Amino acid sequence: MPKRGSAALEGELLQGTLDLLILKTLVLGPAHGHTIAHAIERRSDEVLQVEYGSLYPALHRLEDRRWIASFWGTSENNRRARYYRLTPIGRKHLVQREDRWDALVRAVNRIVKPATE
């Protein structure tokens, strides 16, 4: 997920981050892959760009885990597209992932931005 025109951020992001971003994006409703990638990019103020080579394996992995489900539909361009939606199991997992993410961010910030006394 590199920022356009910048050095690649790949490998610098924590493993599982893309899964969390996809699950969070699907809270808003079903979406196809292109829309998911675009939503992540837009909501990150263009800092993150999702490579399709990473997105679709992640979508398949999440579907294998039953955290998301897919169905065929018609896109806004009147093309057949596979849509993904969050499942009840995925919604529960998302809550756990968000809690874990919050704990991780607090832990990293205690090191990177220690409180001054």
Side-chain angles (χ1 to χ4, degrees):
M1 294 191 291
K3 182 178 179 179
R4 286 187 181 154
S6 68
L9 295 175
E10 291 179 79
E12 293 183 24
L13 295 176
L14 294 172
Q15 188 173 15
T17 304
L18 180 57
D19 293 359
L20 173 62
L21 297 173
I22 292 170
L23 293 174
K24 190 66 179 180
T25 299
L26 291 176
V27 165
L28 303 173
H32 57 76
H34 178 74
T35 299
I36 293 168
H38 186 67
I40 292 170
E41 186 176 315
R42 189 179 61 247
R43 291 176 71 193
S44 72
D45 290 332
E46 311 290 329
V47 172
L48 303 174
Q49 183 179 4
V50 179
E51 304 289 336
Y52 292 116
S54 300
L55 176 65
Y56 287 100
L59 289 169
H60 295 150
R61 181 175 56 253
L62 295 172
E63 190 171 25
D64 287 346
R65 293 176 181 168
R66 301 179 187 213
W67 297 347
I68 64 173
S70 66
F71 59 95
W72 288 100
T74 304
S75 73
E76 57 279 354
N77 295 333
N78 208 26
R79 293 185 176 173
R80 190 170 185 237
R82 183 177 291 274
Y83 283 77
Y84 299 90
R85 66 173 176 76
L86 193 60
T87 66
I89 295 170
R91 194 171 298 274
K92 288 180 183 176
H93 188 75
L94 175 59
V95 171
Q96 295 170 351
R97 286 268 178 136
E98 287 176 320
D99 291 345
R100 178 70 183 131
W101 177 260
D102 289 341
L104 182 63
V105 168
R106 284 192 304 272
V108 170
N109 278 338
R110 283 193 294 271
I111 297 168
V112 174
K113 298 178 180 179
T116 55
E117 295 182 23

